[in-house]
Amino acid sequence: MRKSLLLLVALLLAACDITIVLPGSQLQVDGPEITSGSLASGESARFEVYAGATAVRLEATDLDNGAAGSLLLRVYDASNVLYAQTLSHRYFIAPRPEIAAEGAVEPGVADSPVYSINIPAGSGRMYFEVTNLAAGPTRVSARAVSRAPLPYSDDVFDPTPADFAATTTGALLYLGQTDVWRYTGSGPATLELDGGETVHATARIVGGGVIKANLEPGEYYSGLENGDVVYVQAQGNGATAGFCANLSGCNDYLDSGEYTLAVTVP
């Protein structure tokens, strides 16, 4: 009854152009997980979290169905605007209707029943909503944990390039993330982009103030010179992000966000 009343008030205020954010249980970063009550099919649990100086990974698990469970995760900003969503164990995306077609069925892909979304440092107050998509009721657990910083950056966009002189690996972990690399090896060298299997990266090579090449996954450029800058981001205007498993100090269960800049020097 109380929940229905809150929803009615929210609808009435929305009709008057007054923004309201429904309350949620407070998740403390690196604190204990919170377990919801039983959620019927289509019912949601909502949580509140604050992302300060450290990036945060929001996690949810179907407790009663395990890996066979089906959850929809949504993250909203402080104004209750949808930031990211997923119903996949492998990646998350910016709001768009194709999510249902992209991740609804993925048998055998997940090594863990955990669903998660990474949010960058400095995001402030966020709202984490978990919806049960299974036919029967279930409980869900939610927690917020500090993400280990990447070796080169833990921001959506850090304009300071990270130097590389040989083959290097990065990961696109946040929506809209752009990684900036500066080549410090000898040239001309060949640069090949391995853009991953799920979050397909694209690389732009800039030198002398001009764009020298744009690489899709599997493509290469043979004129890489010392001082060239390489910008890496997800295709589709950065609308997709993923996880890392093979980078030092970075473990998000899967490697769907990882990419490699492979350098070959003659």
Side-chain angles (χ1 to χ4, degrees):
M1 177 67 180
R2 182 173 180 271
K3 190 171 185 180
S4 299
L5 182 60
L6 284 171
L7 288 172
L8 178 59
V9 170
L11 289 172
L12 290 173
L13 290 174
C16 300
D17 292 327
I18 299 174
T19 300
I20 184 171
V21 177
L22 294 178
S25 301
Q26 185 71 42
L27 277 176
Q28 297 295 331
V29 178
D30 296 326
E33 66 181 22
I34 296 178
T35 299
S36 75
S38 181
L39 301 176
S41 180
E43 192 173 9
S44 302
R46 192 173 173 92
F47 309 90
E48 183 179 322
V49 66
Y50 186 86
T54 305
V56 175
R57 184 172 67 243
L58 297 173
E59 300 182 346
T61 305
D62 184 316
L63 294 178
D64 297 328
N65 299 316
S70 182
L71 301 178
L72 168 63
L73 274 55
R74 291 190 178 105
V75 177
Y76 298 83
D77 68 13
S79 299
N80 214 34
V81 175
L82 187 58
Y83 162 73
Q85 60 184 347
T86 189
L87 41 68
S88 168
H89 295 279
R90 295 192 67 86
Y91 61 94
F92 52 94
I93 64 174
R96 65 179 198 248
E98 292 88 340
I99 183 172
E102 289 183 6
V105 180
E106 44 173 3
V109 243
D111 298 324
S112 163
V114 177
Y115 293 73
S116 57
I117 292 177
N118 294 321
I119 55 177
S123 293
R125 191 163 308 283
M126 306 289 278
Y127 297 93
F128 182 38
E129 191 172 270
V130 183
T131 303
N132 174 27
L133 297 184
T138 192
R139 297 166 302 137
V140 298
S141 68
R143 68 172 185 158
V145 296
S146 299
R147 268 213 73 265
L150 292 173
Y152 50 90
S153 174
D154 204 31
D155 297 320
V156 172
F157 180 71
D158 183 348
T160 305
D163 292 339
F164 75 109
T167 296
T168 190
T169 299
L172 299 172
L173 302 178
Y174 313 104
L175 294 180
Q177 179 177 337
T178 300
D179 291 347
V180 187
W181 301 90
R182 178 174 52 218
Y183 180 61
T184 58
S186 59
T190 297
L191 179 69
E192 182 176 0
L193 173 66
D194 179 356
E197 297 180 358
T198 304
V199 178
H200 297 287
T202 179
R204 174 172 294 179
I205 303 169
V206 177
V210 299
I211 298 173
K212 300 172 71 173
N214 289 295
L215 300 182
E216 300 287 329
E219 295 181 342
Y220 63 89
Y221 171 68
S222 297
L224 186 69
E225 298 281 358
N226 184 287
D228 284 350
V229 177
V230 182
Y231 298 86
V232 182
Q233 61 184 156
Q235 295 187 33
N237 298 317
T240 311
F243 311 103
C244 56
N246 300 309
L247 296 180
S248 175
C250 178
N251 186 352
D252 282 324
Y253 310 118
L254 297 162
D255 60 359
S256 63
E258 293 182 13
Y259 63 86
T260 299
L261 299 176
V263 175
T264 305
V265 180

